[in-house]
Amino acid sequence: MPIRRFGGHRSLVPYSQTSKLSYGYTKMNISRSDYRVFSANSSTACTELAKRITERLGVQLGRSVVYQESNTETRVEVKESVRGQDVFIIQTIPRDVNTAVMELLVMAYALKTSCAKNIIGVIPYFPYSKQCKMRKRGSIVCKLLASMLAKAGLTHIITMDLHQKEIQGFFNFPIDNLRASPFLIQYIQEEIADYRNAVIVAKSPSAAKRAQAYAERLRLGLAVMHGEAQHSESDMADGRHSPPLSRTTAGHTGLELPLMMPKEKPPITVVGDVGGRIAIIVDDIIDDVEDFVAAAESLKERGAYKIYIMATHGLLSAEAPILIEESAIDEVVVTNTVPHEVQKLQCPKIKTVDVSLILAEAIRRIHNGESMSYLFRNITVDD
């Protein structure tokens, strides 16, 4: 057997083995890296969805500490190694939106500096999604948030029912916009007696496509409401009449532009027959419920004998539970993308549909490199 020297000492080791030992080129059978699932919420109520997802995946929730200092600064401590692993951050958005966003950013950056291989944000309700269009002298805050998440280290996002699908264009990394409609449709079929006598209602013309998708899948009729107050679209005075429309200037007569007529909201009208039927209003977000309450009263006046509201994200801010309880609405069905246990205690009309199954399956498929198309089967461009 050939003799090789190591540091002045002789060794009876074969050349084939010593070459591997001396240069460290031993080839190892490295299996696919494991993954970790963390919750970035400091509130216990917000970790419920994360626990449901990890139970379905059969893994433990990652050990971390998220809390606010006495001066309300957010601090995150990751208590286990994530080097070279796929890491999923589940972040549900409570009423304190800005704190939740900061928790997500700090958690993502902590994992990035801990050498995680991929950092995937699981954000069922994407915050600031209503601020995705330019409003006069405002800003597109949703685009700003997308840039901040990318800078913090996120490489992929899983979300559900974005307020506008075009928001996906704000990101320079992949984003999977899952749908809650299969779970809500299943609830209608299993929990609403005589749902065949129902009609799907769009609360506004802008929600008609969503309502049409529900109606076609359930083989039901469609009604569209028009005339309700749309505060987000209101043209309020903001000082844009400067310089004045007509101004006398020496040597210049000015431009005579056509005058834009101001909007005038018509009385609430319903296009479609709801008399003697169950009315099911569908939308993506239910937050301030004044419009929903007014729509329910209008539908009752036109003969609907039961009013249901189906929405993916139940924010239910301010006095929403009390207003729902005192209204003509019979039931409000939302998913658990946003924690609303307190609101359910205030209003027993609020029901919850669990969507942890599809979120857990999305996590599993992304980690294993499997196709996501199964989760989008029968989903069209207009859904």
Side-chain angles (χ1 to χ4, degrees):
M1 178 180 296
I3 299 175
R4 299 202 66 177
R5 294 180 178 273
F6 292 97
H9 300 284
R10 295 192 301 173
S11 173
L12 297 175
V13 181
Y15 279 103
S16 60
Q17 294 183 23
T18 57
S19 61
K20 295 176 184 177
L21 293 171
S22 59
Y23 294 101
Y25 286 161
T26 306
K27 187 176 181 180
M28 302 176 63
N29 293 325
I30 302 176
S31 61
R32 185 179 177 84
S33 61
D34 202 355
Y35 70 98
R36 294 287 184 270
V37 180
F38 288 90
S39 173
N41 289 110
S42 58
S43 170
T44 306
C46 296
T47 60
E48 182 62 30
L49 180 60
K51 292 178 181 177
R52 287 177 177 265
I53 292 174
T54 52
E55 286 174 3
R56 291 185 181 276
L57 291 170
V59 299
Q60 295 292 326
L61 195 61
R63 292 183 290 111
S64 63
V65 178
V66 183
Y67 61 97
Q68 275 71 47
E69 299 276 11
S70 57
N71 62 350
T72 70
E73 287 185 359
T74 299
R75 184 177 291 273
V76 172
E77 297 176 7
V78 180
K79 298 294 187 179
E80 57 186 277
S81 175
V82 295
R83 183 179 294 272
Q85 297 181 352
D86 290 339
V87 181
F88 295 84
I89 308 173
I90 302 174
Q91 181 71 330
T92 52
I93 307 298
R95 288 190 177 186
D96 190 356
V97 176
N98 294 330
T99 297
V101 169
M102 201 63 204
E103 290 171 347
L104 177 60
L105 292 170
V106 176
M107 171 71 83
Y109 191 69
L111 295 170
K112 178 183 178 181
T113 54
S114 299
C115 300
K117 180 181 178 182
N118 295 303
I119 305 172
I120 300 95
V122 184
I123 315 170
Y125 168 65
F126 195 80
Y128 289 98
S129 59
K130 286 187 176 181
Q131 299 188 50
C132 62
K133 295 180 180 179
M134 193 67 180
R135 303 290 185 191
K136 297 180 179 178
R137 291 192 179 93
S139 60
I140 307 176
V141 184
C142 194
K143 168 63 176 174
L144 171 63
L145 180 57
S147 301
M148 292 167 64
L149 292 173
K151 192 68 175 178
L154 287 183
T155 59
H156 197 141
I157 281 181
I158 303 171
T159 188
M160 181 169 284
D161 283 337
L162 287 171
H163 188 57
Q164 298 288 341
K165 294 188 292 295
E166 293 76 11
I167 291 174
Q168 296 173 83
F170 294 161
F171 297 87
N172 56 7
F173 53 78
I175 176 168
D176 289 304
N177 182 26
L178 304 177
R179 305 295 196 274
S181 53
F183 297 91
L184 296 175
I185 288 174
Q186 183 181 24
Y187 183 93
I188 293 173
Q189 293 173 326
E190 295 179 355
E191 302 296 333
I192 299 180
D194 195 24
Y195 82 92
R196 292 290 182 187
N197 188 37
V199 59
I200 304 298
V201 179
K203 185 175 64 69
S204 64
S206 61
K209 284 186 176 181
R210 183 185 303 273
Q212 181 182 357
Y214 276 76
E216 291 176 351
R217 284 171 169 78
L218 290 166
R219 306 327 189 243
L220 299 176
L222 176 67
V224 179
M225 304 188 70
H226 176 59
E228 76 280 12
Q230 297 184 12
H231 302 291
S232 62
E233 299 288 343
S234 62
D235 292 329
M236 300 176 64
D238 67 342
R240 287 207 172 190
H241 293 299
S242 56
L245 293 178
S246 59
R247 180 176 59 179
T248 303
T249 306
H252 182 66
T253 58
L255 297 175
E256 295 183 2
L257 299 175
L259 180 63
M260 176 65 74
M261 297 298 295
K263 290 183 179 180
E264 185 174 330
K265 298 182 178 68
I268 294 180
T269 57
V270 179
V271 180
D273 182 22
V274 297
R277 309 178 76 176
I278 301 171
I280 303 176
I281 304 174
V282 296
D283 213 335
D284 62 328
I285 299 173
I286 176 169
D287 190 0
D288 297 322
V289 298
E290 286 84 357
D291 290 346
F292 289 94
V293 170
E297 292 175 355
S298 180
L299 292 170
K300 277 285 187 180
E301 292 173 359
R302 286 163 174 78
Y305 69 93
K306 275 190 177 181
I307 312 292
Y308 288 83
I309 295 176
M310 299 280 173
T312 303
H313 310 296
L315 306 185
L316 302 170
S317 302
E319 302 298 321
I322 298 174
L323 294 175
I324 292 171
E325 184 66 23
E326 297 174 351
S327 71
I329 300 170
D330 292 281
E331 198 167 278
V332 174
V333 183
V334 293
T335 71
N336 57 344
T337 56
V338 177
H340 49 263
E341 295 304 317
V342 175
Q343 291 89 329
K344 288 177 69 175
L345 294 175
Q346 297 174 331
C347 177
K349 292 182 179 181
I350 301 173
K351 308 296 180 183
T352 307
V353 174
D354 182 25
V355 293
S356 61
L357 175 63
I358 192 171
L359 294 171
E361 180 63 13
I363 290 174
R364 188 192 69 80
R365 286 176 175 269
I366 289 175
H367 172 65
N368 293 333
E370 300 177 18
S371 172
M372 296 285 286
S373 60
Y374 177 77
L375 304 181
F376 295 95
R377 64 194 188 283
N378 300 325
I379 299 295
T380 64
V381 177
D382 293 331
D383 286 336

